[in-house]
Structure formats: structure tokens, C-alpha cells
Amino acid sequence: MTTSTPIVGRTVHGLTYAVLGWAVAYGGVRLAWTVGEAPQFGRLGLDLLGFTGWWSVALCAAGGVLAVALDRVATWRPALAGIAWTVAGALVAAAAILLPELVGFLLLTVGPFFDPLAFASRLGCVTGAVLLGLATARYQRRTRGDCPDCCRTVRPDARRAAPARWARWAAWAAVGGLVTRFAAQFVVGFDRVDQSAALLGLEIGLVLAGVLLPLALVHQWGVVWPWWVPLLAGRTIPRPLLLVPGFGLGAGIVAYFGMGMVQVSSGSHSEFSDAFLWVAMSAYLVIGLGLLVGSTDYHLRTRRQCGTCGR
């Protein structure tokens, strides 16, 4: 009997083909740049962070192998899922420079270090991370007994309207991280920090991301427009309005400043002291992690009841 549902061991899911296609295409480019002559990538001189050369080729190969394994393994293996998520996270970290570049686009400026080929390479790297993440999520739904539509495993009576305590702590930790970041900047002097348009826009965005966004994720005025918002007061806030920047900025901040801390620990030179860099980057990481935790709770708390499983 033929069904439209993929059968493990017989039908390869389209996501598997997508990851394999990405691994061959992007991995082929990385291999050519590794064994041949890689571009100079403008003034910055690189396209990826940390995972360059053969490491980038290895990530692409690992992504392809994992995609096949995720499609073929019929039982839940936490180690397999953990490795897949780790590789996807490494791909995001490698393309962490996308964060300030996207901020620059929002400010209608690309900055002096922008290089189109390097930007395209980072987009290609993140594309692989997204595809592998989707394949891993599908594997989890298929092997853990989750609902194929909503991915839920919790009981219907486990739904809650109030934010979890751990989410509130994470939100306020993000606010504390922002305060710590600007306190460190005050100590070294604001005149010593580059105030280019892109960086200034990034800092303005961080004020919103480090105060307004995390608190909105754990308060009722993040679900229903508050009274002080003209024309929208009392209406339900679209979930993507908070979830997209919550997850997107959270992952981008963690990747960008996490790789920055790796570079500082490896002895890279900077005009600022190591103490300032460690404090500032640690504060950024707290902001990013706070956004990810708060966004996760917001997603679990505000999602609608599934029409397939009733959860």
C-alpha cells in the first residue's frame, strides 16, 4: 500500500536531498578555495570565522552525512540529534559576521569592510545550518512520537498562560547584561568606542533587544497590545513580531560574540583591554541567551491548540 508519508529506509525525504545538495554545492566551493586559491574577501580578508579551510569542508561533509543518518535511523538517538544540532550551531557561528552586516543593511549602509562574495558565502553557510536544523527537527518528531504538525509531546493540561519563572529570570538577566555592557563602555570612555553608523545602529538595536524585547516576551503586554499603543491597543500581537527577532537576534548575538570570545582567548589583538572585552562580550552573551530562553517560553505559551493532536 502506497502512502504519501516517507517510509524510513525506502523513501528519502526532500529535506535530506536539500542538505545533500547544499553539502555538495557549498562544500565543493569550500574545497576549491582550500586546495586552490581563495578570494581575498575585501579589507576584512575572510568570509567565515573559526571554521575556515579544511574545517569548513569538514562541516559541509558532516552536514551531508548527518542528513542521511537522520533520514535512515528509525529510533530516537539523543546523541545523533545532539551532534546534528552541534554542527548546525557551528555553521551559524562560522557565519556570525552576518549580524553586523544585516544591521548595516537596515541602516542603508554596508560599511567599509563589506564584500559581496564574503556575504554570499556567509548566507550559504547559514542556509546549510537552517536546512540541517529542519532535518534534525523532523527526525525528532518522527522518532520521539511528537505530533508531525506541531511537534508537541506535552499533555493538553500542561498548557499555561503565565510565563515560567525561569523565563522571567532569563529576561531580567538580559536586561542586566545590557546594563553591564554599557557600564563597561562608560568605564573605558564612550569616545574610545567606534561610533560609526552601523555600530551606533547596532547599539540602538541592542537597547531595544536588551530591554523592550525580553520584557515583552515575559509580560502580558507582549501578547496583547497595551493601552499606550495608538490604534492597536487591546489587539493580539502577531507571534512572529516577537519570535522572529527573539530567536534571530538571540542566535546571532550568541554566535557573533561567542566567536569573539574565542578570538580574544586565542590572543587576538585589540585597542581595548582584555578585561573590557571579556566583560562586554560576556554581557552580550547573556543578552543573547536571555532572548533565546524568553522566546522559547513565549513560543510554548502562546501557540494555538493543534488541530491534529489536540494538544
Side-chain angles (χ1 to χ4, degrees), residues 84-265:
W85 285 119
T86 299
V87 171
L91 290 168
V92 173
I97 301 178
L98 271 178
L99 177 63
E101 287 183 326
L102 293 177
V103 171
F105 284 142
L106 291 176
L107 297 173
L108 304 179
T109 177
V110 295
F113 296 99
F114 179 78
D115 181 79
L117 183 58
F119 179 75
S121 176
R122 293 172 195 126
L123 284 180
C125 190
V126 170
T127 298
V130 172
L131 292 174
L132 182 58
L134 291 174
T136 307
R138 174 184 174 270
Y139 165 74
Q140 293 181 180
R141 294 195 300 269
R142 177 172 57 84
T143 58
R144 295 192 310 183
D146 297 359
C147 174
D149 289 338
C150 70
C151 316
R152 299 178 194 177
T153 56
V154 298
R155 302 183 307 276
D157 58 0
R159 294 176 61 85
R160 51 186 171 75
R165 180 177 299 179
W166 47 265
R168 290 186 180 274
W169 278 107
W172 283 106
V175 176
L178 182 69
V179 173
T180 302
R181 166 63 182 90
F182 282 106
Q185 186 170 326
F186 176 80
V187 170
V188 300
F190 286 85
D191 57 332
R192 291 193 58 199
V193 180
D194 179 17
Q195 295 299 326
S196 63
L199 187 56
L200 184 60
L202 177 61
E203 292 184 348
I204 293 175
L206 281 172
V207 172
L208 299 177
V211 178
L212 183 62
L213 182 55
L215 294 183
L217 290 168
V218 296
H219 286 85
Q220 183 62 23
W221 51 269
V223 179
V224 178
W225 290 106
W227 62 267
W228 41 265
V229 179
L231 303 180
L232 296 175
R235 297 186 181 183
T236 301
I237 298 177
R239 297 175 72 243
L241 191 62
L242 269 68
L243 289 178
V244 171
F247 280 118
L249 281 175
I253 290 172
V254 170
Y256 184 73
F257 292 103
M259 292 301 293
M261 294 184 71
V262 171
Q263 289 183 319
V264 172
S265 62

Side-chain angles (χ1 to χ4, degrees), residues 39 48 80:
L48 301 181
L80 176 60

Side-chain angles (χ1 to χ4, degrees), residues 274-287:
D274 288 346
F276 168 79
L277 291 175
W278 279 109
V279 171
M281 291 185 177
S282 297
Y284 280 128
L285 284 179
V286 171
I287 295 173

Side-chain angles (χ1 to χ4, degrees), residues 55-101:
W55 285 108
S56 63
V57 177
L59 279 181
C60 295
V65 172
L66 285 168
V68 175
L70 292 168
D71 189 78
R72 295 294 176 173
V73 175
T75 57
W76 169 239
R77 302 291 176 84
L80 176 60
I83 294 173
W85 285 119
T86 299
V87 171
L91 290 168
V92 173
I97 301 178
L98 271 178
L99 177 63
E101 287 183 326

